[in-house]
Amino acid sequence: LSESGRAIGELPPIKEPARKAEAEASFRTFCESYFPHVFHLAWSDDHLKVIAKIEAAILHGGLFALAMPRGSGKSSLCEAACQWAMLTGRRRFVCLIGASERAARETLEALKTELETNDLLLEDFPEAVYPIRSLEGITQRSNGQLYTGERTHIDWTETQVVLPAIPGSRASAAVIRVAGITGRVRGMKFTRADGGTVRPDVVLVDDPQTDQSARSILQCEKREKILAVLIHVR
């Protein structure tokens, strides 16, 4: 009885396989298909350049810096990029860095909300999203959740999300972890349930400065040095 209460049963089928395939192949299509409530305005030419750079970095690697006006969607694109990288299996360990620990946690909270409430994601990525929905907002259930008799090993904390370990899922056990830029950003690693260890294979830095740090030459230099170390590590 205890085991049956922890089992999530069969995964629902993919509702729109063609939509999913197109979104997996294109970051822009992913944004438009699953986040119409976020990206509801027409793209500018600059947005399309940014989307192309993000897609190239996730698919092939590389480095780029981006500056856009406040309110132009940088953070929303970063959040969507994290989900595209994880749900499509392109990246196993996503690291998202904010100007502070609090800012980073707020970004992760927004991403978690999408995974918990976005019905479009549930329809086409049930292998990753359905087990999360089955928690019904009670994170304590994650420790005992079962699929086909095996634990899903979901991790759902303030600084880290580990997607469910589902056989055949491209997103199985994918990790996203957040940190403030002046916090512990070096030496990140994650030990999977099978004993394997993974390190970040893509890093996104969203708004690395605060208003206060931007007014200080020393703090600007400190953040530049941290970013230089991250680039070297990558």
Side-chain angles (χ1 to χ4, degrees):
L1 286 173
S2 174
E3 184 171 318
S4 65
R6 293 183 288 141
I8 62 174
E10 292 298 318
L11 299 177
I14 299 170
K15 183 175 182 179
E16 298 284 350
R19 178 177 62 182
K20 179 178 182 180
E22 292 176 0
E24 286 180 329
S26 165
F27 177 49
R28 174 181 175 179
T29 302
F30 180 81
C31 292
E32 294 172 348
S33 298
Y34 301 109
F35 305 98
H37 54 294
V38 177
F39 305 110
H40 53 84
L41 300 177
W43 302 113
S44 69
D45 290 340
D46 286 337
H47 281 116
L48 296 180
K49 291 177 183 178
V50 170
I51 288 170
K53 282 183 174 289
I54 291 174
E55 180 177 297
I58 291 175
L59 293 179
H60 310 297
L63 303 169
F64 76 94
L66 162 69
M68 293 178 70
R70 188 177 299 276
S72 55
K74 297 186 302 295
S75 295
S76 295
L77 284 170
C78 278
E79 293 167 16
C82 291
Q83 294 177 79
W84 188 65
M86 297 170 66
L87 292 175
T88 63
R90 270 25 182 280
R91 300 291 173 171
R92 307 306 307 159
F93 191 156
V94 178
C95 176
L96 182 61
I97 297 173
S100 64
E101 183 81 13
R102 178 180 177 181
R105 291 187 180 195
E106 288 175 352
T107 300
L108 184 64
E109 198 60 38
L111 190 149
K112 289 162 67 175
T113 297
E114 290 290 351
L115 291 173
E116 287 184 308
T117 64
N118 190 317
D119 290 336
L120 294 170
L121 289 176
L122 174 63
E123 290 173 358
D124 289 354
F125 295 92
E127 68 281 3
V129 180
Y130 180 72
I132 293 172
R133 287 291 187 93
S134 297
L135 297 177
E136 297 179 328
I138 305 173
T139 56
Q140 292 86 347
R141 291 180 178 177
S142 62
N143 290 328
Q145 188 183 78
L146 301 175
Y147 174 70
T148 64
E150 300 292 335
R151 287 180 59 195
T152 58
H153 295 285
I154 293 176
D155 193 21
W156 198 261
T157 69
E158 292 183 340
T159 59
Q160 176 174 281
V161 166
V162 181
L163 296 183
I166 301 293
S169 167
R170 294 180 182 178
S172 181
V175 184
I176 177 169
R177 187 178 296 173
V178 299
I181 193 169
T182 58
R184 186 176 178 272
V185 297
R186 297 182 61 184
M188 285 189 181
K189 65 179 181 179
F190 175 74
T191 302
R192 300 192 305 255
D194 61 7
T197 299
V198 292
R199 292 185 180 275
D201 53 5
V202 64
V203 178
L204 293 94
V205 184
D206 182 32
D207 284 341
Q209 284 190 320
T210 63
D211 290 341
Q212 180 181 6
S213 71
R215 291 192 291 267
S216 167
I217 293 177
L218 290 177
Q219 290 194 46
C220 289
E221 290 177 347
K222 179 180 179 180
R223 281 164 167 73
E224 288 181 7
K225 289 178 180 178
I226 292 171
L227 290 174
V229 170
L230 289 174
I231 291 170
H232 178 71
V233 170
R234 284 288 301 124

